[in-house]
């Protein structure tokens, strides 16, 4: 695969540090990686640029269940999500698997603008609760 540039931006106002393990793997493979951005800052443009997009959801995410994320992705972005192994913090728990998924040929990638397909202020149409699936990491001792 030719070298690519990855801009890894964590959601929920977190910072670029969350991506350090994935960034290391991508750099080992010859890619350029940017991780300093935070999603807490407002988007400066009228809409997001039309760029290739792909959605990865984690099989063992107990915060956002897979079926909820698949539905939201379809409804708001018009894309089908690809499932990968991992928990909610996949960049920390499965960095190599995430890097592999990011560099693998996408099954659903296409140019899209999230703004064109979504109203991110609207609430989900069904409540999402923790999944019954076990987390990929052991729960802390009680």
């Amino acid at each position: 695969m030719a070298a690519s540039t990855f801009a890894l931006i964590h959601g929920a106002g977190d910072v670029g540090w969350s991506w350090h393990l994935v960034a290391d793997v991508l750099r080992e493979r010859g890619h350029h990686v940017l991780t300093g951005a935070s999603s807490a800052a407002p988007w400066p443009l009228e809409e997001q640029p039309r760029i290739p997009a792909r959605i990865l959801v984690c099989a063992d995410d107990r915060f956002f269940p897979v079926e909820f994320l698949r539905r939201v992705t379809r409804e708001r972005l018009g894309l089908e999500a690809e499932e990968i192994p991992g928990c909610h913090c996949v960049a920390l728990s499965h960095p190599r698997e995430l890097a592999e998924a990011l560099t693998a040929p996408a099954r659903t990638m296409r140019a899209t603008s999230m703004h064109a397909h979504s109203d991110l202020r609207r609430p989900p149409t069904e409540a999402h609760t923790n999944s019954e699936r076990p987390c990929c990491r052991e729960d802390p001792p009680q």
Side-chain angles (χ1 to χ4, degrees), residues 63-83:
F63 193 75
F64 291 111
V66 171
E67 289 311 313
F68 168 75
L69 291 175
R70 285 186 185 285
R71 183 181 51 76
V72 168
T73 299
R74 224 178 352 264
E75 288 176 3
R76 298 184 182 186
L77 302 177
L79 294 171
E80 291 299 321
E82 298 175 48
E83 191 170 322

Side-chain angles (χ1 to χ4, degrees), residues 4-69:
S4 296
T5 298
F6 290 88
L8 304 174
I9 302 170
H10 199 287
D14 205 340
V15 295
W17 176 89
S18 299
W19 293 103
H20 74 282
L21 299 173
V22 176
D24 288 347
V25 174
L26 292 170
R27 287 183 184 115
E28 286 170 8
R29 296 177 181 188
H31 300 288
H32 182 66
V33 182
L34 307 169
T35 61
S38 169
S39 64
W43 184 252
L45 305 175
E46 287 296 315
E47 72 174 45
Q48 295 185 6
R50 291 180 107 33
I51 58 172
R54 97 190 270 191
I55 307 301
L56 302 173
V57 297
C58 297
D60 298 308
D61 189 333
R62 291 172 29 180
F63 193 75
F64 291 111
V66 171
E67 289 311 313
F68 168 75
L69 291 175

